[in-house]
Amino acid sequence: MENKEEDVKVGANKFSERQPLGTAAQGDKDYKEPPPAPLFEPGELKSWSFYRAGIAEFVATFLFLYITILTVMGVNRSSSKCSSVGIQGIAWSFGGMIFALVYCTAGISGGHINPAVTFGLFLARKLSLTRAVFYIIMQCLGAICGAGVVKGFEGNGRYELFKGGANFVNSGYTKGDGLGAEIVGTFVLVYTVFSATDAKRNARDSHVPILAPLPIGFAVFLVHLATIPITGTGINPARSLGAAIIYNRDHAWDDQWIFWVGPFIGAALAALYHQIVIRAIPFKARA
């Protein structure tokens, strides 16, 4: 908290990040329902904290794609799954990187690293539309750069042979199967994000903010275990877009809509479920 107070004094956080993962109150009596973020907050554009948060999202998504796609490449180039980390290793690389990156960037940008997470938090009015759009743009740019660096390391031949780590619906499954898997998988992720970062829960349990990145990363790991055989697991439109742009083959683009529509629907359902059912915020406001 001391560092944050110093940051405020020098004017770096004139527009503070909405609900960072590391924020907690001392007890239930200290909790106050935060007001919803304004739809448009043009003053953010004059604040360094706004651009700093966007840069943090870019770098985090870049590192996320770099580590995870390289892991996918390494598994695919092995002679057998047993001689590599296998599907479980891929799942761990995605979940572990989310854990590490959320931990690193939570106090700067909220640690979204995923347009679907940003969209869900925007629907819950945890951040402004201005910030949400900026985050999504920076996440997509970071993902494209991360996938591009992987291609540079692997070379065109190997990168295309192993399909660039791109997402598409695997044979034996329909597009409906893929869409459903992305909706449910993203629901699990975004619901976990809401639960792990709930300010009221943080007020009750002071240990939760420290552990918040852990359940989020673990949720990503579990969803990957379940859906890698179906779609390769997207649940993150930036991840799917970055790999598709660098790989740039028709079968990756044919299914690209699934990895945007599915995650956004799943995120919206998670936001509605948490805000209306779990927290009952509309009913409290009416009372």
Side-chain angles (χ1 to χ4, degrees):
M1 290 301 292
E2 292 179 0
N3 291 337
K4 189 166 185 178
E5 288 173 0
E6 291 177 3
D7 218 8
V8 173
K9 289 178 182 177
V10 299
N13 273 337
K14 183 178 179 182
F15 295 91
S16 59
E17 293 79 13
R18 300 287 175 178
Q19 196 176 326
L21 299 188
T23 301
Q26 294 299 315
D28 221 3
K29 64 181 181 180
D30 298 320
Y31 172 75
K32 291 182 180 180
E33 192 72 51
L39 187 60
F40 295 102
E41 201 167 5
E44 286 184 314
L45 300 176
K46 300 177 183 179
S47 171
W48 165 240
S49 67
F50 176 79
Y51 297 101
R52 181 185 64 177
I55 294 169
E57 288 293 308
F58 172 89
V59 172
T61 315
F62 168 86
L63 294 174
F64 178 61
L65 266 288
Y66 170 75
I67 294 296
T68 56
I69 299 301
L70 265 182
T71 304
V72 172
M73 295 285 102
V75 171
N76 287 338
R77 68 187 296 179
S78 299
S79 57
S80 69
K81 301 298 182 184
C82 295
S83 62
S84 68
V85 295
I87 289 179
Q88 293 88 348
I90 293 174
W92 273 122
S93 74
F94 279 88
M97 277 304 290
I98 287 297
F99 168 71
L101 293 170
V102 169
Y103 177 82
C104 292
T105 61
I108 306 299
S109 66
H112 298 188
I113 322 170
N114 185 336
V117 172
T118 300
F119 179 66
L121 293 174
F122 165 70
L123 291 181
R125 301 295 299 277
K126 303 296 184 183
L127 72 165
S128 67
L129 179 62
T130 313
R131 188 176 287 262
V133 171
F134 184 50
Y135 277 15
I136 291 173
I137 291 172
M138 296 301 282
Q139 289 158 0
C140 291
L141 290 176
I144 294 168
C145 292
V149 170
V150 172
K151 184 176 181 179
F153 284 167
E154 292 291 322
N156 289 336
R158 283 195 300 268
Y159 191 81
E160 293 184 9
L161 177 64
F162 304 133
K163 301 177 182 178
N167 290 125
F168 45 83
V169 179
N170 290 316
S171 59
Y173 295 96
T174 66
K175 293 187 185 298
D177 295 333
L179 181 62
E182 290 296 305
I183 291 173
V184 176
T186 310
F187 179 91
V188 171
L189 169 59
V190 178
Y191 176 44
T192 304
V193 170
F194 272 105
S195 298
T197 62
D198 191 324
K200 187 171 184 179
R201 182 173 181 175
N202 292 348
R204 290 198 310 266
D205 307 313
S206 61
H207 64 282
V208 170
I210 300 174
L211 298 177
L214 181 59
I216 295 170
F218 202 62
V220 171
F221 164 70
L222 293 174
V223 171
H224 274 75
L225 284 182
T227 58
I228 282 176
I230 303 175
T231 61
T233 309
I235 67 171
N236 184 334
R239 174 262 187 270
S240 300
L241 179 67
I245 285 178
I246 301 302
Y247 179 51
N248 198 26
R249 292 293 180 270
D250 289 343
H251 58 280
W253 287 117
D254 289 343
D255 295 339
Q256 184 65 201
W257 66 272
I258 291 173
F259 302 102
W260 284 83
V261 174
F264 273 54
I265 291 175
L269 292 174
L272 291 172
Y273 177 65
H274 185 267
Q275 296 294 96
I276 296 175
V277 178
I278 302 300
R279 291 296 309 281
I281 288 177
F283 304 105
K284 292 176 183 177
R286 195 175 302 168

